[in-house]
């Protein structure tokens, strides 16, 4: 009997020390009190619907596979923020900040501030909510609301430190810089990309000073390969590599900055997700991942709409699980699921650096 008990405790100890077991615990138990999402259309949870009631993502075929139908998400179903919230075991999807109901108890599991069309930089005359404005909303509206609810500075500080702050931004800035009709090897200069990173790291420091300690930074994806940009290519070209070069360069700068930010921002931890590499691997070799169509959109694209949006009310492709792109610029729910699974569980430093989101979630 004693030997049996001893063996049992030994096996438990081995299991606890085994990294795959610790990841399973993280997957099965919510160790993070809240998640706050900032960025562009990749993670927009419906904010643009409250900015412009006529935005195309408010109507089918967007949201055809989402539980409640169209919500303003730029895909057929869930986006990366939704999948991340499910992996972190939140009881519901994060509410959009611009929704008037997003207040009080609705914000305790986090808030989505992301706005399609926005960037790291502020663009004069833009209808969309830039990253700096999103952070301002968090600072001037959400934080005071949370202070009222917690009524205890130490508890609020602990809550924010344990929460995860997700950022997906930079893609629209690179696209804007590369939007000219003149094609060249580098459409975005190193000086521009370094300045863009400086703006981004400054914004991250603001959020850190407000109490954030755990950051997930999604890199810019391979926008030069999306259907909208492929339509401008010569028959011999596979992707707009000048646009892809801008994404690769910015991502490299961002990844390289993480160790320095961690040292300068005491108690902080960062995860860089190599969105470009993960998405490009599927584009170049789709079948092992269950995809078949990578060079065209699932929905019919409206030629008159900015960003290659779906024609309102049109019928999308039937086998959406096998398509990589939903519209001219955005990925399908299936591809977003793949991306977030990699972000959450991958052990490859070429995909996540320096560790995955599951490990970040388990950190004290």
């Amino acid at each position: 009997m004693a030997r049996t008990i001893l063996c049992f405790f030994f096996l438990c100890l081995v299991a606890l020390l085994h990294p795959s077991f610790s990841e399973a615990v993280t997957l099965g138990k919510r160790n993070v009190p809240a998640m706050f999402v900032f960025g562009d259309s990749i993670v927009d949870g419906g904010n643009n619907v409250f900015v412009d009631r006529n935005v195309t993502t408010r109507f089918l075929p967007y949201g055809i596979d989402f539980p409640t139908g169209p919500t303003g998400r730029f895909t057929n179903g869930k986006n990366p923020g939704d999948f991340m919230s499910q992996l972190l075991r939140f009881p519901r999807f994060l509410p959009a900040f611009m929704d008037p109901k997003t207040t009080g108890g609705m914000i305790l599991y986090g808030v989505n501030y992301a706005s399609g069309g926005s960037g790291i930089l502020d663009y004069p005359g833009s209808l969309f909510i830039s990253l700096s404005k999103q952070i301002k909303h968090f600072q001037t509206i959400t934080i005071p609301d949370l202070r009222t609810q917690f009524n205890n500075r130490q508890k609020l500080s602990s809550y924010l430190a344990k929460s995860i702050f997700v950022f997906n931004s930079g893609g629209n800035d690179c696209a804007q810089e590369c939007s000219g009709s003149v094609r060249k090897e580098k459409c975005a200069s190193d000086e521009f990309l370094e300045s863009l990173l400086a703006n981004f790291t400054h914004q991250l420091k603001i959020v850190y000073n407000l109490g954030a300690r755990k950051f997930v930074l999604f890199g810019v994806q391979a926008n030069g390969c999306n259907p909208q940009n492929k339509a401008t290519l010569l028959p011999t070209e596979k992707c707009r590599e000048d646009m892809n070069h801008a994404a690769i360069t910015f991502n490299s700068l961002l990844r390289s900055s993480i160790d320095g930010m961690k040292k300068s921002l005491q108690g902080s931890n960062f995860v860089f997700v190599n969105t470009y590499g993960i998405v490009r691997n599927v584009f170049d070799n789709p079948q092992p991942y269950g995809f078949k169509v990578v060079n065209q959109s699932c929905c019919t694209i409206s030629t008159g709409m900015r960003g290659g949006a779906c024609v309102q009310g049109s019928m999308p492709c039937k086998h959406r699980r096998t398509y990589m792109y939903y519209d001219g610029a955005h990925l399908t729910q299936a591809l977003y699921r793949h991306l977030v699974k990699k972000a959450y569980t991958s052990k490859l430093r070429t995909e996540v650096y320096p560790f995955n989101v599951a490990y970040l979630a388990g950190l004290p």
Side-chain angles (χ1 to χ4, degrees), residues 33-305:
M35 182 174 75
F36 299 90
V37 178
F38 304 81
D40 53 29
S41 56
I42 306 299
V43 288
D44 187 342
N47 284 297
N48 278 14
V49 166
F50 297 94
V51 176
D52 178 6
R53 298 296 292 177
N54 294 317
V55 67
T56 57
T57 54
R58 184 169 169 251
F59 308 98
L60 291 170
Y62 289 102
I64 192 169
D65 297 313
F66 195 75
T68 58
T71 58
R73 287 164 171 80
F74 288 71
T75 186
N76 57 305
K78 300 167 190 170
N79 67 26
D82 300 319
F83 284 118
M84 192 69 76
S85 68
Q86 287 184 318
L87 285 170
L88 291 169
R89 304 302 184 193
F90 294 124
R92 58 176 179 265
F93 298 123
L94 301 186
F97 171 80
M98 296 300 292
D99 186 338
K101 297 191 296 293
T102 302
T103 184
M106 283 293 293
I107 71 172
L108 288 178
Y109 293 113
V111 178
N112 184 310
Y113 302 86
S115 172
S118 69
I120 292 171
L121 303 177
D122 292 321
Y123 295 97
S126 174
L127 290 174
F128 311 115
I129 310 164
S130 68
L131 183 58
S132 61
K133 289 179 181 177
Q134 294 173 34
I135 293 171
K136 200 72 174 176
H137 288 155
F138 172 70
Q139 179 181 14
T140 61
I141 298 177
T142 302
I143 290 289
D145 194 342
L146 288 169
R147 284 199 190 106
T148 300
Q149 294 187 69
F150 278 87
N151 198 29
N152 182 302
R153 181 175 295 182
Q154 188 173 355
K155 286 183 179 179
L156 176 58
S157 177
S158 175
Y159 163 88
L160 292 172
K162 292 177 182 177
S163 297
I164 285 181
F165 291 75
V166 176
F167 289 81
N168 189 108
S169 201
N172 287 325
D173 301 279
C174 291
Q176 182 81 6
E177 190 70 4
C178 293
S179 62
S181 58
V182 178
R183 297 281 295 279
K184 48 191 176 181
E185 185 179 349
K186 290 172 65 174
C187 60
S189 68
D190 291 343
E191 291 77 16
F192 169 78
L193 296 171
E194 288 167 1
S195 175
L196 187 64
L197 177 69
N199 274 276
F200 189 37
T201 54
H202 173 70
Q203 291 163 337
L204 293 174
K205 288 174 183 176
I206 293 173
V207 180
Y208 169 85
N209 288 331
L210 293 171
R213 293 297 180 267
K214 296 182 177 184
F215 297 84
V216 176
L217 312 178
F218 281 88
V220 176
Q221 68 181 48
N223 288 326
C225 298
N226 67 37
Q228 182 186 16
N229 288 313
K230 280 178 67 66
T232 67
L233 298 177
L234 297 172
T236 55
E237 295 178 300
K238 189 175 182 180
C239 298
R240 265 199 66 176
E241 295 302 345
D242 58 337
M243 292 191 73
N244 286 345
H245 182 270
I248 291 169
T249 304
F250 179 77
N251 290 341
S252 177
L253 291 169
L254 179 57
R255 186 186 189 276
S256 299
S257 71
I258 281 180
D259 292 335
M261 284 195 291
K262 177 174 170 56
K263 287 180 181 178
S264 64
L265 304 178
Q266 185 177 3
S268 67
N269 281 286
F270 295 83
V271 172
F272 168 75
V273 181
N274 184 11
T275 307
Y276 182 98
I278 295 168
V279 171
R280 188 64 191 260
N281 283 343
V282 175
F283 182 84
D284 291 334
N285 190 24
Q287 289 191 346
Y289 304 103
F291 295 90
K292 295 180 181 179
V293 184
V294 300
N295 56 3
Q296 65 186 66
S297 61
C298 173
C299 75
T300 302
I301 298 175
S302 173
T303 55
M305 292 299 295

Side-chain angles (χ1 to χ4, degrees), residues 7-25:
C7 288
F8 173 79
F9 280 107
F10 175 76
L11 289 171
C12 287
L13 179 63
V14 171
L16 284 167
L17 294 174
H18 196 279
S20 62
F21 179 86
S22 61
E23 281 189 2
V25 170

Side-chain angles (χ1 to χ4, degrees), residues 291-362:
F291 295 90
K292 295 180 181 179
V293 184
V294 300
N295 56 3
Q296 65 186 66
S297 61
C298 173
C299 75
T300 302
I301 298 175
S302 173
T303 55
M305 292 299 295
R306 179 182 182 274
C310 299
V311 173
Q312 185 176 320
S314 62
M315 183 62 66
C317 64
K318 183 177 180 181
H319 302 291
R320 293 182 285 280
R321 172 62 185 82
T322 64
Y323 275 68
M324 181 174 175
Y325 289 98
Y326 191 62
D327 64 10
H330 302 97
L331 302 167
T332 57
Q333 171 180 265
L335 202 290
Y336 285 141
R337 179 188 289 111
H338 171 74
L339 170 64
V340 174
K341 183 179 179 182
K342 287 284 189 180
Y344 205 85
T345 63
S346 178
K347 296 179 182 177
L348 300 176
R349 284 196 162 193
T350 54
E351 295 180 336
V352 290
Y353 178 82
F355 37 69
N356 58 37
V357 179
Y359 186 85
L360 176 73

